[in-house]
Amino acid sequence: MTAQGVFTVVTEVLPDRVEALSSLLEDLDSCLDGESPGPPLIDLAAVDTTHFVRFAVLPEDPDGKRHLLFSTAFDGPRQLHLSELGKKASAGLCRIYDHCVGFPPEAKTAPATLLAYLERHCLRHAALHIGYVGRTIIDIKREDELRRFIESKLDAFRAAGGAVESAVGCRNRIIRWVTESEYRWAVEPRRNDISPLGVEGAVRSALLVSGVAFVLVGGGAAAFLVAGLPGVGVYLAGLAAGAGGTYALLRSHEESEPAKSDTNVVKGREHAEDEDFTIRNQLTHLAYIKPGWFRKTLLKAVLAAVELRARFEFYKGDLGGIETIHCAYWTVLDGPRPRLLFQSNYDGSWERYLDDFIEEAGGGMTSVWSNTVDFPRTKNLLNEGAQNERVFKAWAREHQVRTSVWHPAKPDISIRNVNDNSRLRDGLRGSMTEAEAKEWLRLL
Amino acid sequence: MVAASMNDVRGGTRVEWDEVQRVLLRGYPKLPWAHFLLLRVVRPAEARRFLSGLLGSGLLKFGWGERHDTETTCNVAFTRDGLEALGLDAETISGFSPEFVEGMVAGSRPRKLGDSEASDPSGWLWGNAQNSVHAVLMVYAPTRAARDAAVDRERARFSESGLEEARGPSGEALGATHPLPDRREHFGFTDGISQPRFTDEPHAIRSRAAKESDRLATGELLLGYPNEVGLLPRSPVLSSAAKARAIVAGLDGDFGRNGSYLVFRTLDQDVDRFWRATKTALGRDDRDARVELAAKMVGRWPDGTPLVSVPKGAAPHADREDFDFAHDDPWGQSCPLGAHIRRANPRATLARDPEMAVKKSKKHRILRRGRSYGDPFVAHLSPEELIKACDDAGGRPGPRGLHFMCYVADIANQFEFVQQTWLNGPVFQGLHGEVDPLAGNPAPTAGLFTIPGHPIRSCVHALPRFVNVRGGAYFFLPSRSALGYLASLRD
């Protein structure tokens, strides 16, 4: 079954090659944007299993090392996407990875070696949300072309004095136009081998939940076997004490940890300069996880819960009520001082995106990021935190990472457009009543 | 609710109205003649004395005043450069919002606001690097003669007060206004109908009661009070050394309290191009259809009747305020989804739950106080007269438009949000690449405007840009005490 996913690679950059790498990436970005002449180092348009590509040089870690982040969102299967990268982008990728530690020189002549290197440094995400579930980038592009085709046929028909009868009549006319054109593929049934995002992800989450349930129930059963009903009572009391203790520990952390409380943006205002060239924007965000086992474990648990909801609930299109996200995911960068990496591609302005986070998913966002350093004061894991709007926004800017290359395959349409285009296409099949046709025609 | 830690939420948010400059509270309906004098501070000490004199003269008005005031009135606001020129310290200035500190023309802001090509700041008459502005002295008067007399009187004092007036590149005077009949703007549409209102405004000051959806928390429009989510807007606080002096001036450390941000943009309106475009778009010269197309672009008929209330043909008695899109017209069949008033205030369409939607829309309201400038295209601004003058090439020449002014407590989340995400948002409400046909920047799109209809929509293509920006800046409207503090500064 085809799956959609993300591929994230983090590699250490050779200390004296950081500048050269940044400059190479800036060149790639301006070639891709059409600002510089000449072919780009990597012709990302040719890799047609990619929704977007990102390169960023992450800020220094505690040991002074810099890392290169490379990520793609792809239409699967994963191996196909990687082999396509190997076939079409290996020269450019080799030039880039030449700046990184441990890159084998022989990879330049053997794409398999390049891919092996990337796989070695690939990180699995902790939680992932995709808004365009079930539609490949090719689907997205051609469904938009289909809509434009129908719109222009309609305009021409009206301009030529064509009379519009009923909604059903209009729909039939449109179906006829489409069937007689090069868009006749649209009236065929949709390929249904695109799974709603990773059977693998769903299975993992299900296993996790089953595992936890098994341990809890198993513990109770064991207590019963050993000491009967009183044993179960002691077991339950133990669980309650454990929960109470955890809560107390959480509160004591929340009260005592340093937290941002002002609305000053100490750094990061300049990221605004890279935004709003099209309706699509991106956010690469990196924050240190608060020290200690408690916060690290709590973060992993929260991310597992987000992943669970994403697999079983959010896959329908919106991340907890936010309908403007194309792709958003969290990755933990392990180490003596671990960091939480967040990457997102969304519609509209940064200001509006964070407003949506605060309004629709404020509790969820707080539960994730309150485990990172300097996050605004939080209560009970979910409250306050991101609700403190101006402080939260200032904090978010301060931890944003300069992204050298960010290239979405189709930046000029929103997730809502994508979904409306799919609904338009799907409405070309089958029959509709007058009322149904009227509703379908509203998509135009 | 959490309070921003820079200022504590004061118990009982009784608003200190007498500290607030009156232009924020009243639109001055009895003072139709205005002039916005754009000034630069040349010699700070003399300018501060001028400000002091202004405060003492009683010309600057504060508080609500009386309902039928007809006395000539002034109000004053400053840009960041202006506050700096007067001597306000850098630390206090850094406490203002980043948009105000950076200014309207800095960095990527013109791109986000749609100020490109004919609206690019390089071509502005004021507010850009070539002609920066420090302050605006807003004069409001009941008659043209009273206005001119007041302006001449103030102008005569500028040179001895260390102030100079900013003039256009060819020396032209800037900032005069020309009131139009029936509260219309130059395209012929009644303007300024929908306004937010303060929750605590005194009774009997206004002729009509406020709709619940228009009532805003004080902190949406005034600094120093909680906003719609119960937080205090970011406000500049005086450093401790400065505070010592401030107590003398009656200011309690919070320099921004009882003040507000003023967004001022001079918008040129090409009336001829607008009415000609209605003919081009329709491909025929049907006067009624042209007026209807124009109404579809605006979202109201020229007399102000909302399309939602009366889809076909205006009925003057319809309540111009009593409608909602979510309830009355969710698919835009009466008022198109991309029409100007729908973009400027989507009302209850921002969420599936109408109550949630109204709460959301209250976070992005602006209080408008703009005034028209320039000779009207024709003497009588009815659509018939306008169309006739346009077709006969008989319209009066020469620049006209709107000195757009609005007051907000949060420039980014209120003014810039509406401008960028709604007016110029190409995917607003699920549209596919179109912007506000009246006031938007069509450059990134193909000038498309979709008019939903039954059973199928109509589309207009290649609409040109009718409104261009000719000047602008972000100002701050200080409170009475803050003005007193400014006047008392030393070099």
Side-chain angles (χ1 to χ4, degrees):
Chain A
M1 249 212 235
T2 313
Q4 294 171 303
V6 293
F7 178 61
T8 308
V9 177
V10 175
T11 49
E12 188 189 332
V13 184
L14 293 160
D16 53 339
R17 307 290 302 278
V18 173
E19 288 300 316
L21 175 61
S22 296
S23 156
L24 184 68
L25 292 173
E26 301 287 334
D27 278 343
L28 171 58
D29 193 52
S30 41
C31 282
L32 288 170
D33 287 342
E35 283 162 17
S36 298
L41 182 62
I42 299 179
D43 188 8
L44 292 170
V47 185
D48 59 13
T49 49
T50 351
H51 288 257
F52 64 83
V53 170
R54 177 189 266 110
F55 283 98
V57 179
L58 300 177
E60 264 184 26
D61 77 351
D63 299 321
K65 298 189 188 148
R66 303 292 296 271
H67 291 82
L68 173 67
L69 166 70
F70 166 53
S71 60
T72 68
F74 62 85
D75 297 317
R78 191 166 180 274
Q79 280 315 113
L80 193 63
H81 171 66
L82 290 180
S83 79
E84 210 198 358
L85 279 179
K87 270 204 291 280
K88 297 186 179 159
S90 74
L93 283 173
C94 285
R95 259 194 78 192
I96 289 172
Y97 279 100
D98 205 37
H99 297 74
C100 290
V101 168
F103 186 63
E106 59 271 19
K108 294 189 187 96
T109 45
T113 318
L114 164 70
L115 292 178
Y117 177 76
L118 295 179
E119 288 271 35
R120 235 183 356 262
H121 295 274
C122 161
L123 294 178
R124 203 196 133 67
H125 56 268
L128 164 63
H129 167 74
I130 289 184
Y132 47 77
V133 161
R135 271 71 51 80
T136 64
I137 187 66
I138 294 175
D139 284 332
I140 289 173
K141 283 181 176 170
R142 60 183 195 163
E143 282 172 7
D144 196 57
E145 280 167 31
L146 169 70
R147 184 191 54 83
R148 284 174 202 278
F149 168 73
I150 295 174
E151 296 272 20
S152 70
K153 290 291 280 189
L154 265 176
D155 287 339
F157 176 71
R158 294 292 290 270
V164 190
E165 46 311 81
S166 60
V168 168
C170 203
R171 178 171 172 265
N172 289 337
R173 190 183 299 275
I174 291 174
I175 293 174
R176 207 163 47 243
W177 287 331
V178 172
T179 328
E180 288 164 5
S181 74
E182 78 246 42
Y183 296 96
R184 67 181 69 89
W185 51 262
V187 289
E188 305 298 314
R190 194 183 276 282
R191 262 173 65 212
N192 59 1
D193 62 348
I194 309 280
S195 75
L197 229 211
V199 171
E200 184 209 337
V203 165
R204 271 175 177 254
S205 291
L207 280 177
L208 181 67
V209 172
S210 322
V212 169
F214 181 76
V215 165
L216 286 176
V217 171
F224 181 72
L225 287 173
V226 166
L229 227 40
V232 177
V234 169
Y235 173 68
L236 289 175
L239 278 183
T246 309
Y247 178 69
L249 196 51
L250 173 69
R251 287 301 296 134
S252 96
H253 273 269
E254 284 179 344
E255 306 269 275
S256 61
E257 285 156 345
K260 185 173 173 72
S261 56
D262 59 87
T263 57
N264 298 320
V265 184
V266 167
K267 57 179 157 87
R269 281 292 291 177
E270 70 277 7
H271 293 300
E273 302 301 305
D274 294 330
E275 290 165 1
D276 301 321
F277 286 96
T278 68
I279 54 149
R280 190 81 56 79
N281 280 312
Q282 68 89 27
L283 176 66
T284 309
H285 186 274
L286 188 62
Y288 279 100
I289 298 172
K290 283 170 175 162
W293 64 269
F294 180 72
R295 280 300 190 183
K296 188 160 176 210
T297 315
L298 186 55
L299 175 63
K300 295 213 155 138
V302 170
L303 286 173
V306 173
E307 171 73 355
L308 188 71
R309 286 190 75 188
R311 294 290 74 72
F312 290 102
E313 190 185 329
F314 301 152
Y315 79 91
K316 291 183 196 117
D318 62 273
L319 179 65
I322 306 171
E323 291 172 328
T324 52
I325 301 180
H326 290 251
C327 179
Y329 60 111
W330 290 265
T331 311
V332 175
L333 304 183
D334 268 317
R337 281 190 60 197
R339 299 180 287 180
L340 179 64
L341 175 68
F342 176 66
Q343 300 174 74
S344 174
N345 304 283
Y346 59 93
D347 299 317
S349 72
W350 178 89
E351 188 85 33
R352 187 269 193 91
Y353 180 50
L354 264 70
D355 273 346
D356 280 347
F357 260 149
I358 296 167
E359 277 168 22
E360 307 285 350
M365 295 307 113
T366 301
S367 68
V368 172
W369 274 302
S370 60
N371 297 299
T372 63
V373 167
D374 208 33
F375 192 75
R377 184 82 48 209
T378 299
K379 270 203 180 104
N380 304 326
L381 193 59
L382 300 167
N383 297 334
E384 296 177 15
Q387 303 291 342
N388 199 342
E389 185 207 328
R390 285 268 139 224
V391 180
F392 168 63
K393 283 180 177 171
W395 173 86
R397 267 292 186 223
E398 287 175 342
H399 293 269
Q400 196 163 340
V401 169
R402 176 95 182 61
T403 306
S404 308
V405 177
W406 181 66
H407 186 77
K410 187 150 175 63
D412 56 344
I413 60 177
S414 65
I415 271 285
R416 173 134 179 218
N417 291 154
V418 167
N419 290 328
D420 283 349
N421 288 344
S422 294
R423 271 198 280 279
L424 182 69
R425 176 223 180 143
D426 291 337
L428 290 168
R429 294 194 304 279
S431 65
M432 283 189 182
T433 63
E434 177 72 9
E436 285 167 344
K438 195 167 159 191
E439 196 184 324
W440 179 78
L441 287 172
R442 277 194 215 119
L443 291 167
L444 291 162
Chain B
M1 288 297 176
V2 176
S5 75
M6 282 181 80
N7 311 285
D8 296 322
V9 180
R10 299 188 199 213
T13 50
R14 222 198 98 260
V15 185
E16 295 158 345
W17 297 118
D18 289 324
E19 280 284 314
V20 180
Q21 288 200 52
R22 189 167 297 168
V23 66
L24 188 63
L25 308 176
R26 310 292 305 285
Y28 298 134
K30 302 287 181 194
L31 306 174
W33 291 89
H35 198 127
F36 306 125
L37 290 159
L38 297 166
L39 305 172
R40 268 189 295 274
V41 172
V42 179
R43 291 183 299 280
E46 293 170 37
R48 289 192 291 259
R49 270 201 295 282
F50 177 84
L51 180 59
S52 198
L54 207 56
L55 274 167
S57 71
L59 203 56
L60 273 181
K61 300 277 198 289
F62 302 88
W64 289 94
E66 299 304 317
R67 189 157 159 195
H68 298 296
D69 272 335
T70 54
E71 235 191 303
T72 300
T73 294
C74 274
N75 285 113
V76 66
F78 301 92
T79 61
R80 186 215 87 108
D81 291 345
L83 291 174
E84 193 177 54
L86 281 178
L88 192 62
D89 64 288
E91 201 189 315
T92 307
I93 289 180
S94 71
F96 282 98
S97 73
E99 302 78 48
F100 175 76
V101 171
E102 290 162 10
M104 194 184 274
V105 300
S108 60
R109 194 152 281 118
R111 183 172 77 237
K112 291 174 203 256
L113 297 179
D115 296 343
S116 63
E117 291 162 18
S119 294
D120 190 275
S122 58
W124 285 8
L125 300 172
W126 66 274
N128 55 12
Q130 291 75 42
N131 198 9
S132 69
V133 162
H134 290 175
V136 60
L137 180 61
M138 304 177 268
V139 178
Y140 300 91
T143 62
R144 185 204 282 266
R147 189 269 308 267
D148 292 345
V151 168
D152 289 340
R153 200 176 52 233
E154 295 308 316
R155 268 193 180 133
R157 298 173 48 208
F158 286 159
S159 56
E160 80 207 12
S161 303
L163 295 166
E164 77 181 4
E165 191 179 341
R167 301 228 153 206
S170 324
E172 60 265 49
L174 303 168
T177 73
H178 187 121
L180 300 175
D182 297 330
R183 288 172 57 194
R184 302 220 174 194
E185 47 74 50
H186 280 289
F187 292 136
F189 285 80
T190 307
D191 195 14
I193 297 172
S194 174
Q195 286 275 39
R197 303 271 285 270
F198 285 100
T199 311
D200 296 332
E201 73 180 37
H203 296 300
I205 208 78
R206 287 270 159 68
S207 46
R208 58 179 301 139
K211 273 164 62 186
E212 182 45 47
S213 55
D214 286 338
R215 283 172 182 281
L216 294 185
T218 313
E220 289 294 319
L221 300 171
L222 265 190
L223 299 189
Y225 303 89
N227 63 13
E228 282 289 319
V229 289
L231 298 175
L232 292 178
R234 181 178 165 93
S235 188
V237 164
L238 296 175
S239 62
S240 40
K243 251 192 215 172
R245 173 204 302 293
I247 289 169
V248 172
L251 190 67
D252 185 20
D254 183 350
F255 181 81
R257 184 176 171 81
N258 296 312
S260 188
Y261 290 105
L262 161 62
V263 178
F264 181 176
R265 285 156 72 79
T266 297
L267 303 179
D268 178 276
Q269 294 176 257
D270 195 330
V271 179
D272 186 62
R273 183 184 283 179
F274 177 75
W275 285 107
R276 184 130 29 84
T278 58
K279 183 158 85 178
T280 316
L282 288 170
R284 64 188 194 279
D285 191 9
D286 175 343
R287 199 191 65 193
D288 287 339
R290 286 169 79 176
V291 175
E292 185 177 342
L293 174 58
K296 287 281 184 182
M297 292 201 280
V298 173
R300 290 184 189 269
W301 294 99
D303 68 356
T305 315
L307 283 177
V308 166
S309 309
V310 189
K312 194 81 187 171
H317 57 268
D319 187 343
R320 303 191 305 191
E321 271 305 274
D322 186 22
F323 69 94
D324 191 280
F325 300 119
H327 186 259
D328 303 322
D329 187 25
W331 309 113
Q333 300 276 333
S334 301
C335 178
L337 296 176
H340 175 71
I341 69 159
R342 197 159 180 153
R343 284 179 180 266
N345 181 7
R347 297 162 194 247
T349 57
L350 287 172
R352 281 177 219 121
D353 169 33
E355 246 185 70
M356 183 82 221
V358 169
K359 264 181 69 179
K360 274 192 174 201
S361 80
K362 281 191 184 187
K363 293 191 211 166
H364 306 292
R365 298 294 299 269
I366 61 174
L367 180 68
R368 292 174 296 149
R369 291 281 184 246
R371 296 285 178 106
S372 291
Y373 70 89
D375 262 347
F377 194 63
V378 280
H380 185 236
L381 284 177
S382 70
E384 297 76 25
E385 296 289 325
L386 284 162
I387 287 175
K388 184 163 180 304
C390 166
D391 292 345
D392 298 343
R396 296 200 200 120
R400 61 181 56 87
L402 176 68
H403 285 306
F404 170 84
M405 292 170 125
C406 74
Y407 291 92
V408 294
D410 184 339
I411 296 174
N413 225 12
Q414 292 172 265
F415 166 69
E416 289 183 354
F417 185 92
V418 173
Q419 179 79 6
Q420 181 184 10
T421 302
W422 290 347
L423 291 192
N424 278 319
V427 295
F428 175 74
Q429 300 269 341
L431 292 165
H432 294 265
E434 49 183 278
V435 299
D436 182 340
L438 186 74
N441 174 14
T445 69
L448 172 69
F449 178 55
T450 301
I451 304 171
H454 174 67
I456 198 71
R457 90 290 182 271
S458 327
C459 279
V460 174
H461 296 273
L463 283 174
R465 188 166 190 171
F466 306 117
V467 172
N468 277 295
V469 187
R470 309 297 292 131
Y474 290 141
F475 293 84
F476 182 69
L477 187 84
S479 66
R480 188 202 299 260
S481 298
L483 286 171
Y485 174 74
L486 280 173
S488 73
L489 288 171
R490 301 275 179 272
D491 285 322

